[in-house]
């Protein structure tokens, strides 16, 4: 499992980074989205992998932390998801505006290559 | 006393509430929004003064007597989020407020009409800055960084237009990438150490087993890189000049603070986690900081000399200042001692004020006749815009006499500070750093000499560059002097007044800075304080015990 | 005590005068002059009071603490030398003020002039009186700054601007070096107190950094006193108004340098290297100045170079050292100040009355202005060193020093010859000054008809010339005591007393003087005409002008080369910057990981699961395909992105993170919709961009591919390394334990979000709000590119009727989805604290519901029925969240302290009703507001485009008509 997940993180981030370095705004935005997936998975993986033990407590009774998934990374990822959603939306609009004002979708606002 | 204890979080709450309130007003009621905004900013200043006087205390007690803690949700560290108010934090809060009031007043001269929701964004920016300075939790730091970055995106784009959008795009793209780095770094640190609390972290670092160190350091390094982007080191700062120039004047003035956030965090974290107490990791990254800082100073100087406009020059001055500070932080990690570090903090404040003032001066200085309306219209079409929806003519405040004289004097003051020439605060800061460095046996003398040469050279180059601009603007210019509103002068003069005050009160200010540096150099005080700070419930329990016995 | 205060007043007085003068009206000539004159007179009175103690070798101190932390204090001290110098400065200052009163034109703004002049005087006094070497630097730089302002007084004239700038750059640069040397001195001696420094010469000379200190110090002094090779700023400074030149180049600015040399020669001097450097430079400057002066046609130019030459003489003396030489130096400082000031004033008068300063046009002026002529002739003779004038005596002393044996080096032995050679030229240029201006035929076609100036304009010159005579005839009775006092204060105890006589007998120095007089006179007599015909400067030397070299260098050093280098090491493009960022993070990561122990202990290891593997093969394929397609097939890329997102989402669910799965899914949907809406505004791209085929583009892509793969592998490796480590004891456990008991909820993640770490959420919603606002603000100004205004294909050629029942079935379904979704949202919201869900997911759901309505029907329809004011929602949302947080204060708890219990709600049943729920309500409202705001703002653009289309259709016909 660990192997697969880390491979997945690798692939996601690699394709994200490749897109990040491309000249068209849309490529960059897709790249950022892919990267944020990768990073979310990465954060998540920092809590190690556990199957079938969501951090939902019984009402009352003794709690053995080792029997549950580490909730903190999940909480962090939740925040991260929301924030990256927001920033993606922002970047999208800036992309639209730039396209509208400069007449091109090149990241530098001019078609040089 | 409840209120007093809750004052620590006020710097975050006040702008938050103010920002939220401005959302309830209609776009047309700008004066109301301005009012709310002003009230909150002034409140911030008052609060920050109070907090600073609180942190002063009487010398260092070693018990962290001057450090105030605030356990959010009443959860004790390291589990909950803790706000920590020490000398450094208080100082930065003060600086934010001091910069914010003039910027806001300046915006009232017309800039705040150039787009939607200026005041909300401005307030949220303040919230983000203050939060970043106060928080003692890594991930919470990330959140506040996002707050202030998002607000800064908004402010860069404020007024829209081609130039702003193009630069904004670069700015946002790079900072998003940096934020991802930030996340990776934080999560790695959590994965290895199992904590997010800075104080807890500084305790754990020394205890990390050999096998975990590489991963931990990688995390720390990636985190550091993210902050270095904000601090604008070479070669990660090419976006900065363009962005700062494109931003509207008040926003740019606030941006003089933005790089300092990066500096602040680097200072805070490196002192906490890689200070003398960090065992095997002590002094990690010091060389990198020094090298990067020096490179940045050189880059900034080259930029200053190479640029034609005052705006670009000022932006490069921002780089020079952060380069200097980074170098000093690196040297401090090598054992530079509190005198040097204190001088650096002094320099930080004065250079921030000066760059802020310059950003506000750019537009009046480069303005022909016609006043604010003309310039706004001009920016409007220069930036390829249809005329902004205009509610009433811009406030034509009284255009004050002897414009050129006042402009000239203000410009000269900023020049002196940035070039580190006497008699203003820039000179004091520079001398404090250098004498602290030279009188310190802990560092190799060559390093001190080299840095001395660098600073002296940087100051001289700054002088040459800025004098060039000054002569062009004030001596070689034909035509009638520009019309400048009192609303635009007052802020600049305020900042200059601050600088003069710092200069006159040099001794007290420097003493405060040195004590701050001292407390930074013994992170144990901070860490122990955070980890032992009692929650309200614990307090209550303890008191009951007390009464029982 | 009184004396201390008087000393402070002495320094402050001019600055106060400057401030006062600045407030005067623009044309208050008399008032300003009186003010300045009286201020300086006041200073002189104080000095008179000091004379008694000073002449007994007493030193008066006075210290005001400024920044003791770095040893920077306003410490002042006055001793014999300082006293003499300050008296000189102030006396000449008064005369200059008087002169300037008549020199300045009616329309010159006087307040600026006088306030700068006073401030400059103050700075100069500061240099002379500082008892703290850092303060000395402070005042030193102030003199540079104010002289800059004075030289640039007539800034309408480009020469004035350049002259001022050159002066500033050179002297301030020197000041910077001086600062460095003073810091080092302070480090060596352990104090910045001048007395301490002066007392510890031996330590300093023995210190390893002595050489560096000396060099930096000398650069400072030489730049100020215009020594070769820094001399060129001085002639440039002649663009200043003549009173300024008379002040700066006689008694003040340039003399500050030699003052420092004399003051420190007992400390730094006495070594061979000092002798070579200082005396050598002095002699070179002496000769060069004298030679060039002879060849200048401009009166002030001649005087400027003669000034340089005389400064060289003083420098040489300071280099020789020893009490006799120092005495000579001090004496010559005074004499030169006196005759040079009068000469400048005379030149100014001539310029003022005739309108030119060119000696080739001037001649025979003695007829028109006999008195001025006589005065100038006497002063010039003093400059030439004619007996019975003050210049003669100090020059004699210099010759005597030149003749004396000091250290037998070649330079020492060559001194007499060099000195004589120089003074031959001195005589020659003085002769030229006299002959060409005042004698010969009457002048022709001068701009003005010359005549005597107003009396008061001439008085200063008369007074100064009188002093030249008196001092020249009875030196010992006039200046003797003062000079000895000064000498004593410089050289310290046990200095012999000198009596200064006119007649020393028929000795070698006298011979040298006479020789110089005779040969100099001959030289001028023979070459005068030829020189007048020649170029501005010596025959060949005038080709290489230091000024030109300086400008050439400055232009390159401060402008061209930085531009080139800067261009090399920076970029405006985005891609390189991002590339650098990625590469740097790679570098950083790998260097930190390098020393191994990287993989570390491997503890846990879940057996790989086939389904999961297959799922991620698809996911990976999606990601790669998206990367591949993003440029030309955006829609496809978007779908593929969605695929990757879904797989991620499932992964979360798989590894027991239901909340993440839910949120990710919702966010996924909204993001996709946003991107879809945005897609429409991008340029259509069907044909491939040519440049992409070319080699450079291919190489770039390949290179980026490598970078990306390496980075990806790195991240994967790190993730793997961490995942396979044993779980360190972390703060997560604590959350699990306390979620129910403390936080009052069973869904730990949600409890963390709204209680334990609610402050994060607090910030997070703020981010959302900010972004919403920014999007809104930006789209208010959105201008679609013309090509994207055109209607999308689907609508082409379709009437509004057809549009209305476009996607009919789907729209009906979507309409009825609305209530369902609302209920779902409510459920998500309330169960949040115990089961996956919460304010955020609920908010996004509602937003989606609204969005569906937008898609289902046209915007007008929906907005006629449901009116959402997103910004209000946001405002209230934030306020609710904030208020909940502050509510805790009422109970004496910190911000965001939650209070939890369960209550029975009808229908919904047992519900966790923590105060956190209210906080979550705020989150909900904010999320709805922000999301809807963004979605609608973007959706509205289509409307705007439609409107633009209509307007275009309206305008087109008119456009057609117009030509007809």
């Amino acid at each position: 499992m660990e192997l697969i997940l880390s491979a997945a993180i690798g692939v996601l981030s690699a394709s994200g980074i490749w897109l990040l370095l491309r000249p068209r705004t849309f490529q960059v935005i897709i790249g950022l989205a892919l990267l944020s997936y990768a990073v979310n998975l990465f954060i998540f993986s920092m809590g190690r992998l556990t199957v079938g033990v969501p951090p939902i407590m019984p009402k009352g009774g003794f709690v053995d932390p080792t029997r549950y998934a580490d909730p903190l990374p999940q909480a962090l990822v939740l925040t991260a998801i929301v924030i990256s959603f927001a920033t993606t939306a922002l970047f999208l609009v800036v992309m639209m505006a730039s396209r509208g004002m400069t007449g091109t979708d090149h990241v530098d606002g001019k078609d040089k290559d | 006393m409840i209120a007093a204890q809750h004052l620590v979080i006020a710097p975050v709450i006040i702008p938050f509430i103010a920002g939220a309130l401005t959302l309830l007003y209609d776009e047309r009621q700008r004066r109301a929004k301005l009012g709310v905004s002003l009230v909150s900013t002034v409140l911030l200043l008052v609060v920050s003064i109070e907090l600073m006087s609180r942190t002063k205390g009487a010398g260092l007690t070693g018990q962290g007597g001057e450090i105030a803690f605030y356990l959010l949700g009443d959860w004790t560290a390291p589990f909950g989020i803790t706000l920590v108010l020490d000398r450094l934090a208080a100082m930065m809060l003060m600086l934010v407020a001091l910069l914010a009031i003039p910027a806001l007043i300046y915006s009232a001269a017309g800039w705040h009409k150039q787009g939607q929701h200026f005041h909300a964004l401005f307030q949220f920016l303040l919230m983000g800055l203050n939060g970043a300075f106060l928080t003692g939790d890594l991930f919470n730091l990330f959140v506040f960084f996002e707050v202030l970055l998002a607000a800064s995106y908004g402010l860069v784009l404020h007024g829209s237009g081609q130039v702003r959008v193009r630069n904004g795009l670069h700015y946002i793209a790079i900072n998003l990438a940096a934020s991802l780095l930030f996340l990776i770094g934080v999560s790695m640190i959590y994965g290895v150490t199992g904590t997010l609390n800075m104080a807890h972290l500084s305790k754990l670092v020394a205890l990390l087993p050999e096998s975990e160190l590489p991963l931990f350091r990688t995390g720390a390094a990636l985190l550091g890189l993210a902050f270095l982007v904000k601090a604008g080191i070479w070669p990660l700062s090419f976006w900065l000049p363009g962005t700062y120039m494109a931003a509207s004047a008040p926003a740019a003035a606030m941006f003089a603070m933005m790089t300092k956030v990066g500096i602040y965090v680097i200072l805070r974290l490196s002192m906490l986690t890689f200070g003398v107490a960090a065992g095997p990791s002590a002094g990690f990254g010091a060389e990198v900081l020094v090298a990067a800082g020096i490179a940045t100073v050189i880059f900034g100087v080259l930029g200053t000399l190479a640029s034609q406009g005052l705006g670009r020059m000022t932006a490069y001055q921002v780089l020079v200042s952060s380069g200097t500070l980074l170098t000093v932080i690196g040297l401090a990690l090598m054992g530079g001692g509190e005198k040097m570090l204190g001088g650096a903090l002094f320099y930080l404040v004065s250079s921030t004020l000066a760059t802020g003032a310059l950003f506000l001066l750019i537009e009046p200085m480069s303005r022909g006749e016609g006043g604010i309306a003309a310039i706004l219209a001009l920016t409007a079409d220069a930036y390829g815009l249809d005329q902004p929806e205009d509610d009433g003519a811009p406030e034509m405040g009284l255009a004050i006499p002897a414009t050129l004289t006042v402009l000239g004097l203000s410009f000269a003051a900023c020049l002196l500070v940035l070039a580190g020439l006497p008699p203003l605060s820039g000179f004091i800061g520079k001398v404090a750093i250098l004498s602290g460095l030279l009188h310190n046996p802990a560092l190799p003398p060559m390093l001190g000499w080299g840095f001395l040469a660098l600073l002296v050279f940087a100051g001289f180059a700054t002088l040459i560059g800025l004098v060039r601009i000054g002569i062009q603007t004030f001596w070689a210019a034909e035509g009638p002097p520009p019309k400048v509103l009192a609303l635009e002068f007052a802020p600049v003069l305020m900042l200059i007044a601050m600088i003069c005050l710092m200069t006159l009160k040099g001794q007290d200010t420097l003493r405060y800075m040195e004590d701050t540096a001292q407390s930074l150099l013994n992170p144990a005080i901070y860490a122990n304080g955070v980890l032992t700070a009692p929650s309200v419930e614990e307090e209550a329990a303890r008191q009951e015990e007390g009464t029982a016995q | 005590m009184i004396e201390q205060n008087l000393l402070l007043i002495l320094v402050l007085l001019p600055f106060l005068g400057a401030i006062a003068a600045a407030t005067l009206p623009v044309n208050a000539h008399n008032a300003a002059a009186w003010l300045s004159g009286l201020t300086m007179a006041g200073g002189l009175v104080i000095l008179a009071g000091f004379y008694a103690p000073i002449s007994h070798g007493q030193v008066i101190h006075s210290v005001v603490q400024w920044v003791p932390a770095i040893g920077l204090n306003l410490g002042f001290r006055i001793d014999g030398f300082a006293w003499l110098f300050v008296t000189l400065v102030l006396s000449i200052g008064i005369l200059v003020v008087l002169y300037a009163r008549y020199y300045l034109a009616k329309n010159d703004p006087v307040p600026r002039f006088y306030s700068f002049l006073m401030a400059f005087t103050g700075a100069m006094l500061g240099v002379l009186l500082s008892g703290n070497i850092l303060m000395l630097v402070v005042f030193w730089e102030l003199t540079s700054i104010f002289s800059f302002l004075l030289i640039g007084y007539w800034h309408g004239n480009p020469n004035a601007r350049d002259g001022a700038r050159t002066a500033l750059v050179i002297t301030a640069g020197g000041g910077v070096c001086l600062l460095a040397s003073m810091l080092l001195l302070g480090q060596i001696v352990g104090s910045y107190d001048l007395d301490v420094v002066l007392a510890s010469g031996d330590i300093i000379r023995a210190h390893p950094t002595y050489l560096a200190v000396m060099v930096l110090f000398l650069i400072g002094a030489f730049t100020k006193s215009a020594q070769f090779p820094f001399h060129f700023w001085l002639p440039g400074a002649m663009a200043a108004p003549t009173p300024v030149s008379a002040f700066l180049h006689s008694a003040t600015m340039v003399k500050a340098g030699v003052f420092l040399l004399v003051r420190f020669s007992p400390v730094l001097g006495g070594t061979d290297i000092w002798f070579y450097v200082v005396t050598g430079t002095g002699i070179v400057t002496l000769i060069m100045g004298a030679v060039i002066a002879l060849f200048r046609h401009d009166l002030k130019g001649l005087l400027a170079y003669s000034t340089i030459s005389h400064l060289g003489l003083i420098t040489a003396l300071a280099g020789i050292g020893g009490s006799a030489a120092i005495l000579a130096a001090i004496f010559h400082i005074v004499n030169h100040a006196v005759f040079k000031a009068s000469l400048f004033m005379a030149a100014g008068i001539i310029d003022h009355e005739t309108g030119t300063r060119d000696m080739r046009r001037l001649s025979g002026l003695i007829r028109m202005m006999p008195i001025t002529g006589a005065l100038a002739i006497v002063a010039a003779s003093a400059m030439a060193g004619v007996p019975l004038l003050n210049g003669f005596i100090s020059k004699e002393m210099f010759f005597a020093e030149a003749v004396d044996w000091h250290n037998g080096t070649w330079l020492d032995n060559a001194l007499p010859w060099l000195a004589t050679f120089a003074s031959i030229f001195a005589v020659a240029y003085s002769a030229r000054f006299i002959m060409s201006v005042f004698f010969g035929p009457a002048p022709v076609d001068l701009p003005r008809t010359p005549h005597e100036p107003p009396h008061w304009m001439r008085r200063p010159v008369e007074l100064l010339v009188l002093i030249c005579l008196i001092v020249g005839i009875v030196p010992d009775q006039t200046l003797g005591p003062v000079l000895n006092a000064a000498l004593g204060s410089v050289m310290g105890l046990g200095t012999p007393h000198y009596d200064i006589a006119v007649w020393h007998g028929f000795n070698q120095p006298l011979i040298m003087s006479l020789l110089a007089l005779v040969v100099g006179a001959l030289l001028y007599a023979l070459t005068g005409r030829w020189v007048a015909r020649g170029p501005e400067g010596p025959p060949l030397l005038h080709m290489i002008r230091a000024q030109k070299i300086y400008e050439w260098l400055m232009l390159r050093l401060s402008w061209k080369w930085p531009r080139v280098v800067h261009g090399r090491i920076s970029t405006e493009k985005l891609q390189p910057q991002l590339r650098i960022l990625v590469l740097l993070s790679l570098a950083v990561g790998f260097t930190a990981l390098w020393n191994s122990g990287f993989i570390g202990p491997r503890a846990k290891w879940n057996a790989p699961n086939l389904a999961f593997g297959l799922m991620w093969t698809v996911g990976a394929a999606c990601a790669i395909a998206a990367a591949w397609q993003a440029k030309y097939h955006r829609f496809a890329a978007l779908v593929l992105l969605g695929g990757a997102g879904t797989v991620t989402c499932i992964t979360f669910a798989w590894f027991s993170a239901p909340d993440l799965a839910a949120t990710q899914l919702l966010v996924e949907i909204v993001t996709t919709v946003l991107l879809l809406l945005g897609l429409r505004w991008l340029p259509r791209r069907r044909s491939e961009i040519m440049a992409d085929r070319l080699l450079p583009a291919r190489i770039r892509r390949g290179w980026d591919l490598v970078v990306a793969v390496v980075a990806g592998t790195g991240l994967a490796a790190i993730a793997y390394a961490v995942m396979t480590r044993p779980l360190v004891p972390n703060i997560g456990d604590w959350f699990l334990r306390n979620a129910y008991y403390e936080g009052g909820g069973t869904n730990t993640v949600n409890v963390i979000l709204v209680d334990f770490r609610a402050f994060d959420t607090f910030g997070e919603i703020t981010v959302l709000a900010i972004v919403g606002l920014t999007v809104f603000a930006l789209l208010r100004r959105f201008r679609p590119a013309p090509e994207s205004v055109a209607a999308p294909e689907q609508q082409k050629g379709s009437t509004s009727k057809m549009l209305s029942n476009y996607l009919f079935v789907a729209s009906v379904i979507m309409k009825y989805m609305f209530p369902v979704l609302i209920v779902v949202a409510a459920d998500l919201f309330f169960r949040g604290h115990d089961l996956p869900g919460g304010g955020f997911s609920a908010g996004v759901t509602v937003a989606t519901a609204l969005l569906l309505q937008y898609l289902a029907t046209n915007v007008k329809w929906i907005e006629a029925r449901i009116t959402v004011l997103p910004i209000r929602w946001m405002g209230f949302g934030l306020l609710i969240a904030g208020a909940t947080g502050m509510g805790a204060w009422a109970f004496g708890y910190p911000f965001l302290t939650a209070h939890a219990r369960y209550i029975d709600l009808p229908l919904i049943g047992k519900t966790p009703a923590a105060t956190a729920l209210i906080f979550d309500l705020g989150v909900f409202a904010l999320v709805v507001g922000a999301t809807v705001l963004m979605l609608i703002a973007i959706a509205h653009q289509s409307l705007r485009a439609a409107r633009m289309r209509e307007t275009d259709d309206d305008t087109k016909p008119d456009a057609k008509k117009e030509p007809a």
Side-chain angles (χ1 to χ4, degrees), chain C residues 700-719:
Chain C
R700 212 182 311 120
R701 282 202 295 274
W703 166 238
D704 289 346
L705 187 60
V706 177
V707 175
V709 170
V710 177
T713 328
L715 201 60
I718 293 174

Side-chain angles (χ1 to χ4, degrees), chain B residues 2 6 9 12-13 16-17 20-21 23-24 70-75 78-81 83 114-117 120-121 124 127 137 139-140 143-144 146-147 150-151 154 157 159-160 170 173-174 177-178 181 184 188 190-196 211-212 214-215 217-218 221-222 225 229 234-236 238-239 299 302-303 305-308 312 316 384-386 388 416 421-423 427-428 431-432 434-435 438-439 449 452 456 460 463-464 467-468 471 475-476 503-504 506-507 510 514 536-537, chain C residues 66-70 72 134 137-138 141-142 145 148-149 152 155-156 161 164-165 168-169 172-173 176 179-180 183-184 186-187 192 209 212 554 557-559 562-563 565-566 569-574 577-578 580-581 584-585 588-589 592-593 595-598 600-601 715 718 721-722 725 728-732 734-735 742-743 755-757 759-760 762-764 766-767 769-771 773-774 776-778 780-781 783 871-872 874-876 878-879 881-882 886 889 892-898:
Chain B
I2 293 169
H6 293 304
I9 199 176
V12 181
I13 300 300
F16 174 81
I17 299 292
L21 279 179
L23 292 186
L24 302 184
Y70 194 77
L71 305 177
L72 283 152
D74 207 28
W75 305 115
F79 309 110
I81 295 170
L83 297 188
Q114 287 303 294
Q116 309 281 318
H117 300 297
L121 292 173
F124 289 136
M127 170 192 174
D137 180 282
F139 191 78
N140 193 240
V143 172
F144 275 108
E146 287 308 313
V147 172
L157 298 167
S160 184
H170 289 191
I174 289 169
L181 268 182
I184 295 177
M188 278 181 76
Y190 176 77
V192 178
T193 64
T195 187
L196 288 172
S211 62
E212 305 298 309
L215 275 178
R217 286 183 185 157
T218 317
L222 291 177
L225 196 62
V229 174
W234 185 85
L236 296 176
F238 304 142
W239 53 271
F299 177 65
L302 285 174
L305 289 177
S307 40
Q308 279 146 318
R312 196 164 273 281
Y316 279 109
L385 274 187
D386 40 5
L416 291 183
L421 284 180
F427 178 75
I428 300 178
V431 169
L434 290 179
S435 59
L438 291 176
H439 289 81
W449 284 62
L452 185 149
V456 164
F460 186 51
L463 175 75
I464 292 178
V467 165
R468 191 196 297 145
I471 288 183
W475 281 3
T503 316
L504 291 179
Q507 175 62 9
L510 201 55
E514 279 176 6
V536 174
E537 280 178 351
Chain C
W66 182 17
V67 194
I70 52 173
L72 179 62
L134 284 183
V137 179
V138 171
E141 292 291 30
L142 285 182
I145 293 164
F148 164 78
L149 293 170
H155 52 68
R161 293 201 292 266
R165 175 139 138 231
L168 179 68
V169 169
V176 166
L179 170 65
L183 282 171
L184 294 174
Q187 184 199 5
Y192 293 118
T209 60
M554 259 329 247
L557 284 178
S558 77
W559 173 246
R563 274 185 96 71
V565 179
H566 181 266
I569 60 172
S570 87
T571 169
E572 294 277 306
K573 299 201 181 78
L574 178 61
Q577 300 190 43
L578 286 169
I580 294 173
L581 180 57
L584 269 184
S585 35
V588 164
L593 282 174
N595 44 3
S596 65
F598 163 51
L715 201 60
I718 293 174
V722 176
R725 273 172 161 61
V728 290
N730 60 24
I731 55 180
W734 185 88
F735 292 122
E742 300 284 336
D755 191 349
F756 292 136
R757 295 183 63 91
F759 204 47
D760 284 346
F762 183 71
E764 166 199 324
T766 319
V767 174
I770 297 168
V771 169
L773 292 178
T774 313
F776 178 71
L778 201 53
R780 280 294 294 272
R781 293 283 181 77
R783 299 225 193 118
I871 299 191
R872 293 288 159 80
M874 286 159 60
F876 283 118
L878 291 176
L879 284 179
M886 289 186 284
W889 290 350
Y893 283 98
F895 190 69
L896 284 174
T897 310

Side-chain angles (χ1 to χ4, degrees), chain C residues 838-860:
Chain C
F840 180 80
S841 4
V844 178
T845 321
V846 171
T848 332
L850 283 168
L851 180 73
L852 282 180
Q853 298 314 300
Y854 269 82
L855 295 181
T857 67
N858 62 34
V859 180
K860 302 191 182 72

